[in-house]
């Protein structure tokens, strides 16, 4: 027996909405990472740098506690099985995205 069309449409809409939200959060976090490096290289300190650090630390804590991206888990529940980084980088590079960006973030914190 197939699902009613209304239910499929809702799940599809939910999957698209979560994907958009996930991408927006990813872009904000990459912007924070870029600003962290900008602040480190130009020796600027201030509110923006502290906000960027807070966002990146928050993401790191969320990833560490959930052992995966919490939004990825929600996406799978609504039927979107393709992880965000796979959309961005493809299946070959996606497994390296989090370790690479984490290393870049740690280096930015230390600099």
């Amino acid at each position: 027996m197939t699902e009613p069309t209304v239910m499929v449409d809702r799940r599809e809409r939910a999957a698209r909405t979560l994907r958009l939200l996930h991408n927006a959060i990813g872009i904000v976090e990459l912007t924070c990472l870029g600003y962290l490096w900008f602040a480190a290289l130009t020796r600027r300190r201030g509110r923006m740098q502290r906000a960027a650090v807070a966002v990146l630390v928050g993401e790191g804590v969320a990833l560490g506690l959930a052992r995966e991206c919490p939004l990825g888990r929600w996406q799978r529940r609504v039927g979107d099985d393709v992880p965000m980084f796979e959309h961005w980088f493809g299946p070959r590079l996606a497994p390296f995205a989090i370790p690479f960006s984490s290393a870049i973030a740690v280096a930015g914190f230390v600099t």
Side-chain angles (χ1 to χ4, degrees):
M1 190 165 160
T2 61
E3 291 185 49
T5 307
V6 174
M7 184 59 99
V8 172
D9 289 344
R10 283 185 184 163
R11 287 187 73 184
E12 192 174 307
R13 195 174 322 126
R16 271 195 226 130
T17 301
L18 275 172
R19 191 179 304 142
L20 279 170
L21 176 67
H22 205 178
N23 283 322
I25 290 170
I27 289 167
V28 167
E29 290 170 351
L30 286 174
T31 302
C32 288
L33 186 57
Y35 187 79
L36 178 69
W37 270 96
F38 171 76
L41 295 173
T42 60
R43 304 277 185 212
R44 292 184 185 201
R45 305 290 185 255
R47 270 191 238 162
M48 288 289 287
Q49 183 205 25
R50 287 191 295 278
V53 167
V55 167
L56 293 171
V57 168
E59 175 65 11
V61 168
L63 287 171
L65 290 176
R67 297 194 178 163
E68 65 174 330
C69 182
L71 283 177
R73 191 179 293 172
W74 288 351
Q75 281 181 246
R76 282 192 304 281
R77 285 185 190 166
V78 296
D80 185 4
D81 294 329
V82 181
M84 179 184 75
F85 285 128
E86 231 175 88
H87 279 293
W88 287 15
F89 305 119
R92 286 184 63 206
L93 295 177
F96 303 107
I98 290 177
F100 180 75
S101 60
S102 297
I104 298 286
V106 169
F109 291 142
V110 173
T111 301

